[in-house]
Amino acid sequence: MFRRAFGAFVLLCGCAAQAQTFIVNSAGDNNDPVDDLVTLREAIAQANAAPGHDTILLPAGIKISTSLGYSVTDDVSISGVQGDEAELISSADTLFELGGGGGSFVDFENLVLVGQDSLRGVQACGVITASNIQASGFSYAFDLCEYPVDLHLSQSSFIDNGHFLYGNSLNTGNTASALVERSYIENSGMFVRAYDANVNVEIRQSLYIGEKAYLRINGSTSLLIKDSALLLSDRGSLLTATYDSRRADGSNTWNYYYPNLEIVQSTIAGNQSNFPVITTEGAAVRIAHSTLADNANNNGHLLELKGTGSFHPGIFMGRL
């Protein structure tokens, strides 16, 4: 009996397919398995169909334009060549849509992502790592989906996006984390809102040049800024953390959600608007071993920390 059962187990599990490597050799955007050309679209389709964590290699300097975007439903690494990165130019609503349900692992490396009237660069679900990525021209370079997300961005640059990181109305039961480290961010905002969800964002060892953009967290989002510099915003407050509220399902009762903001060993300076450099309302704030400096031309405050009592009598949240 044991031998028959063990033999059946071997037949079922011993034939697991090995991870495969697909090498793109065409800048086209079609999927024709008959010809000798391998487009990125064809490589992704094959990787989606093949078990295991597959690899897609893009040749040095290739430029691929798409108006359709790509759907990735299985574990895969998509890599260009460092120093002569592959350039993906998108006019699609979403350049990369990653598998719904949050169960996949996707790695991006050595890519230039360019949005042309494109809403999203990456709809981020599951576990995502991205290194040496240059993203520009998107409304949302990385958009956190409604499923669990673990996002790690490193050694990357985000220039002239509406938001380099975006997550709106992440709800109860959602677990989302985003780590941005050793990266350069210019004129690209961040907006993350959560309602009683476990959402944590970290910016480490990075340089943020605000210009027309700003960083904002709402609701139960936590943000840690460590070993970083946030500089030169001329649109509103450079950094904002505010409470949020929504009506409970089937009820007239409002629930309130409060953010956490921590700034450690960082510099925040050069705000050029008439608004405070940092504005919080209902937030728990910790600032340690950091430098906060205002621009001489700024008529706003350096810090504006508010509780919520003036708007909601009997409810006083917010601490420093």
Side-chain angles (χ1 to χ4, degrees):
M1 175 69 75
F2 172 80
R3 289 183 177 180
R4 286 199 299 271
F6 180 77
F9 177 81
V10 170
L11 288 175
L12 288 172
C13 300
C15 57
Q18 297 296 316
Q20 300 184 50
T21 298
F22 305 97
I23 300 175
V24 173
N25 61 16
S26 170
D29 194 31
N30 62 324
N31 183 3
D32 185 354
V34 177
D35 61 25
D36 293 329
L37 300 177
V38 179
T39 65
L40 177 57
R41 184 168 305 283
E42 184 175 342
I44 289 175
Q46 293 184 41
N48 286 341
H53 188 117
D54 302 308
T55 299
I56 297 173
L57 300 178
L58 292 157
I62 192 171
K63 292 186 178 182
I64 301 173
S65 297
T66 180
S67 60
L68 301 175
Y70 305 100
S71 176
V72 178
T73 60
D74 199 14
D75 298 351
V76 68
S77 294
I78 302 176
S79 301
V81 176
Q82 186 173 9
D84 197 4
E85 289 80 3
E87 184 173 345
L88 308 181
I89 304 166
S90 173
S91 58
D93 180 73
T94 302
L95 175 56
F96 286 105
E97 185 171 356
L98 307 187
S104 60
F105 179 95
V106 180
D107 176 59
F108 298 102
E109 187 176 21
N110 304 326
L111 301 175
V112 177
L113 310 181
V114 179
Q116 295 181 340
D117 298 320
S118 186
L119 184 63
R120 299 179 186 86
V122 177
Q123 176 76 56
C125 295
V127 179
I128 308 102
T129 63
S131 61
N132 191 28
I133 301 299
Q134 304 170 45
S136 62
F138 295 97
S139 296
Y140 316 121
F142 281 80
D143 186 2
L144 305 177
C145 77
E146 62 183 358
Y147 298 103
V149 184
D150 184 358
L151 173 64
H152 183 190
L153 306 174
S154 66
Q155 301 179 23
S156 296
S157 64
F158 304 90
I159 300 174
D160 295 335
N161 300 279
H163 296 83
F164 77 93
L165 181 65
Y166 183 82
N168 192 17
S169 302
L170 298 168
N171 297 321
T172 303
N174 184 289
T175 299
S177 64
L179 169 61
V180 183
E181 63 175 349
R182 291 175 291 166
S183 293
Y184 176 77
I185 305 152
E186 179 182 337
N187 198 34
S188 300
M190 184 189 82
F191 179 83
V192 181
R193 184 207 314 264
Y195 296 117
D196 198 27
N198 184 16
V199 178
N200 295 281
V201 179
E202 297 185 17
I203 299 175
R204 293 175 176 264
Q205 297 177 300
S206 295
L207 174 60
Y208 181 86
I209 306 295
E211 296 183 6
K212 301 295 183 182
Y214 52 85
L215 305 175
R216 182 170 183 174
I217 59 171
N218 279 50
S220 57
T221 305
S222 295
L223 171 62
L224 168 65
I225 298 170
K226 187 172 183 180
D227 301 319
S228 297
L230 279 60
L231 308 172
L232 299 173
S233 173
D234 56 13
R235 180 187 174 188
S237 293
L238 179 59
L239 176 58
T240 302
T242 61
Y243 78 97
D244 215 325
S245 62
R246 69 172 182 173
R247 197 188 303 272
D249 292 340
S251 171
N252 290 324
T253 301
W254 287 87
N255 292 328
Y256 297 91
Y257 306 97
Y258 304 94
N260 291 280
L261 173 63
E262 187 172 4
I263 302 168
V264 181
Q265 297 176 188
S266 296
T267 297
I268 300 178
N271 206 39
Q272 300 182 85
S273 73
N274 291 324
F275 295 87
V277 177
I278 300 174
T279 299
T280 72
E281 186 169 7
V285 181
R286 176 177 179 261
I287 302 174
H289 308 292
S290 296
T291 299
L292 276 65
D294 215 347
N295 188 285
N297 297 323
N298 184 7
N299 295 319
H301 300 294
L302 186 63
L303 296 172
E304 186 174 69
L305 309 178
K306 300 178 182 177
T308 59
S310 59
F311 294 93
H312 306 287
I315 301 175
F316 291 90
M317 294 295 292
R319 65 182 185 272
L320 175 63

